[in-house]
Amino acid sequence: MMNGNSGNDNDQSAPLGADLLLDSLYDAGARICFANPGTTELSLVSALARDGRMRCVLSLFEGVCTGAADGYARVSGEVPLTLLHLGPGFANGIANLHNARRAGSRIVNLIGDHATWHLEYDAPLTSDIHSLASPVSREVIYLDKPDAIADGVTNAFAATNIAEGGAATIIFPTDVVDAPAPADATALAQVPYSPAPVADAKIESSAKALDEGGDVVVLLGGNALGEAGVRAGGRLAAALGGRLLMEPYPAIVTLGGDLPKVERQAYFPDDVIAQMGESRVVLAGARMPISYFGYEGWPSQLVPEDRLVRLAEPGDDAVAALEALADHFDAKAATAPVAAEDVNSPPADKDVSAASIVEELLVQLPEDSIISLEGSTMGGPWLRNAHRAPKHRVITNTGGAIGQGLPCAVGAALAQPDARIVSLQSDGSAQYTLQSLWTMAREGLKVTIIIAANHRYAILQTELNRAGVPLDDKVVANLTKLDHPRVDWVSLAQGYGVEATYARTNGELAEAMRRGLSLDGPMLIQAELP
């Protein structure tokens, strides 16, 4: 197993704990590491250099590392690594690990810690890493001695297989990875991740509940959001005369082309209640509809329990369950082909808008593209029209921690380098992880970024409007407007080495999009919205 000397012959002759750690991670299936290392991680950096098998991607901020790992995991289905510096470095990445947890993304985080003999002196960077990592990790593993390394990696990968998936975190003290590796260390065989089968009894009880008739909604989540699940869900919905919906914030969903149209679950509780009506709601890998926030006078659970048909949990094989249930209702024939809808470029001389960005992208989007979507400005408009586009996949912000869109685009591009990645990104949330642009330029990633530059926190203004709070109040305006000064995204992108341009009219947008979608590297378009 040991491969610690495959690189520079001038390095030490005997493998160290760092070499064993890297070998164990590689044998478990890890092939890429999103890194922002520091002094306590230098032994692993040296092992990476000696070994040479792992692709290392540097980011300027830990939130980019964790968000990119999330995007990579969603697109590839494989387990990436992050390499972060002690507790504060990990803390910088927690927000996007929260999103990754909600997406069920399988990730292994590596965090260097002070030498075991140094911890008692409470050096400036000493912190409780375990407490920081626990809320966003299936398991936190502390490697207290070299003999624990191989089993620790095995346990970390096993933890990512729990339920629908998630991250595991390995903490390694410097003296443990600097020590000689045990000569007989061998990692245990890894078990590939697979969703849990749904029991026949559960399928039968779901069929019995639906045999009673009435309106039906099939709500997709989990692995049912892939092409096979969308088709199976479409078959079931068609057999029952019902509607096909998806969770409001899917981890990754396949849409467009000849696939059945999938309606998105609404956001506000009153809209969800109206959308669901009196229907029975079949949960196929989806969580039950709940209110995103608690609103006075509205329930948190938006569909009563007696109308929920719990076919498959998020970690279950919802595709197989849908197919079995569709067979029960004799829905063996494919659903009717989706009728193609006309798509045309909007008038070139008109000002650009969220709607016109969608229309132009429908015209130009290459088939099998991946869209990383963040923000309310573009989120709703695209997902309402995605069925009109060529077949593509969409990544959304599963956990609501903003700053996810650009890093996920980085990870998606590295996971599938032959695909065009389009980042539909609101300007407010883009500021949280704009360092992603540097990584895109450094790696030459095929990412086309469209910044919806309305210079405000639009979703916050929408919430304030619903609450009857005047937006022109001085304090409210100061907390929701981003126009003093206006951010120049073109200059920021160019400063990070990314080609960039403005689009104020639809004609400028169309030309910029043609350029961006043809480049082998990244390009940013600042779409100036009213």
Side-chain angles (χ1 to χ4, degrees):
M1 178 181 119
M2 295 299 297
N3 195 60
N5 298 301
S6 63
N8 190 337
D9 290 336
N10 293 325
D11 291 316
Q12 89 290 330
S13 57
L16 301 177
D19 300 303
L20 173 59
L21 176 57
L22 181 58
D23 279 346
S24 300
L25 292 163
Y26 190 90
D27 289 347
R31 295 294 182 270
I32 191 168
C33 179
F34 297 94
N36 189 289
T39 303
T40 50
E41 294 75 41
L42 293 185
S43 292
L44 193 57
V45 170
S46 297
L48 286 163
R50 287 191 295 273
D51 184 277
R53 294 176 295 172
M54 192 79 67
R55 181 166 186 176
C56 300
V57 179
L58 177 66
S59 298
L60 301 180
F61 175 62
E62 293 89 344
V64 177
C65 296
T66 53
D70 182 13
Y72 186 94
R74 296 193 205 189
V75 170
S76 70
E78 299 173 357
V79 181
L81 309 174
T82 69
L83 179 59
L84 308 173
H85 184 39
L86 288 160
F90 183 80
N92 283 340
I94 284 176
N96 275 329
L97 286 172
H98 165 78
N99 293 328
R101 180 181 68 85
R102 299 293 301 192
S105 296
R106 301 175 62 229
I107 299 167
V108 172
N109 304 303
L110 305 173
I111 309 173
D113 198 5
H114 291 298
T116 55
W117 46 263
H118 189 59
L119 283 171
E120 65 179 285
Y121 296 98
D122 193 24
L125 277 169
T126 302
S127 63
D128 186 352
I129 303 174
H130 192 283
S131 293
L132 290 169
S134 292
V136 292
S137 305
R138 287 287 185 183
E139 188 170 349
V140 181
I141 296 163
Y142 186 84
L143 304 179
D144 59 348
K145 55 186 178 181
D147 288 346
I149 292 174
D151 284 348
V153 170
T154 296
N155 293 338
F157 274 77
T160 67
N161 287 342
I162 296 172
E164 68 266 37
T169 298
I170 295 175
I171 304 168
F172 58 92
T174 57
D175 56 326
V176 171
V177 292
D178 283 341
D184 57 350
T186 303
L188 300 178
Q190 303 300 322
V191 178
Y193 174 75
S194 60
V198 175
D200 290 343
K202 200 169 187 181
I203 296 170
E204 290 168 5
S205 65
S206 298
K208 184 177 180 181
L210 295 170
D211 277 334
E212 299 175 10
D215 295 334
V216 172
V217 165
V218 179
L219 183 60
L220 304 180
N223 75 321
L225 294 167
E227 181 174 350
V230 171
R231 293 194 189 281
R235 287 177 58 220
L236 178 61
L240 297 170
R243 290 178 291 143
L244 185 63
L245 272 67
M246 62 180 165
E247 290 181 320
Y249 295 96
I252 183 165
V253 58
T254 306
L255 301 169
D258 68 343
L259 291 170
K261 180 179 178 180
V262 187
E263 183 183 341
R264 181 194 191 189
Q265 181 188 308
Y267 177 83
F268 288 110
D270 46 337
D271 293 332
V272 177
I273 290 171
Q275 182 183 40
M276 300 299 177
E278 296 300 316
S279 301
R280 295 179 186 275
V281 178
V282 181
L283 301 179
R287 295 174 174 87
M288 67 180 179
I290 62 167
S291 180
Y292 202 93
F293 293 103
Y295 296 93
E296 198 68 37
W298 294 100
S300 295
Q301 182 172 338
L302 302 177
V303 176
E305 193 65 37
D306 61 1
R307 285 181 19 226
L308 294 177
V309 179
R310 296 180 177 272
L311 174 64
E313 298 299 319
D316 290 345
D317 188 347
V319 177
L322 282 167
E323 289 172 343
L325 196 55
D327 286 346
H328 171 86
F329 290 100
D330 296 321
K332 295 181 180 179
T335 54
V338 176
E341 296 185 30
D342 290 338
V343 292
N344 297 289
S345 293
D349 59 340
K350 300 296 185 181
D351 289 344
V352 71
S353 65
S356 69
I357 293 172
V358 167
E359 291 302 313
E360 188 60 44
L361 190 55
L362 290 172
V363 172
Q364 295 199 36
L365 185 71
E367 188 164 7
D368 294 324
S369 294
I370 299 170
I371 294 179
S372 181
L373 184 60
E374 182 173 39
S376 60
T377 302
M378 296 303 308
W382 179 259
L383 291 174
R384 284 193 295 271
N385 289 278
H387 65 283
R388 300 168 57 205
K391 190 171 67 176
H392 63 287
R393 287 179 285 173
V394 180
I395 294 170
T396 73
N397 191 326
T398 50
I402 64 176
Q404 174 257 0
L406 292 176
C408 263
V410 169
L414 287 161
Q416 192 163 340
D418 58 334
R420 172 60 56 181
I421 313 301
V422 177
S423 177
L424 292 180
Q425 179 68 53
S426 289
D427 56 351
S429 51
Q431 287 288 354
Y432 282 61
T433 46
L434 79 167
Q435 306 94 333
S436 304
L437 299 173
W438 183 85
T439 303
M440 291 177 189
R442 180 184 176 92
E443 299 292 331
L445 303 180
K446 292 166 56 176
V447 181
T448 305
I449 308 115
I450 303 174
I451 295 284
N454 55 16
H455 305 284
R456 57 195 174 96
Y457 286 129
I459 185 61
L460 187 54
Q461 290 186 342
T462 299
E463 293 272 11
L464 288 165
N465 261 330
R466 285 174 59 90
V469 178
L471 300 183
D472 57 358
D473 177 90
K474 183 177 179 180
V475 172
V476 171
N478 282 341
L479 292 175
T480 62
K481 291 185 177 180
L482 307 175
D483 59 353
H484 184 67
R486 287 192 167 219
V487 173
D488 185 345
W489 278 97
V490 170
S491 296
L492 287 174
Q494 291 171 342
Y496 279 116
V498 173
E499 183 174 332
T501 189
Y502 303 98
R504 297 180 176 88
T505 68
N506 293 328
E508 293 173 348
L509 174 69
E511 182 179 349
M513 205 177 286
R514 279 190 289 272
R515 170 70 176 158
L517 293 173
S518 66
L519 279 179
D520 284 337
M523 180 174 171
L524 181 143
I525 303 166
Q526 179 173 337
E528 281 294 319
L529 303 183

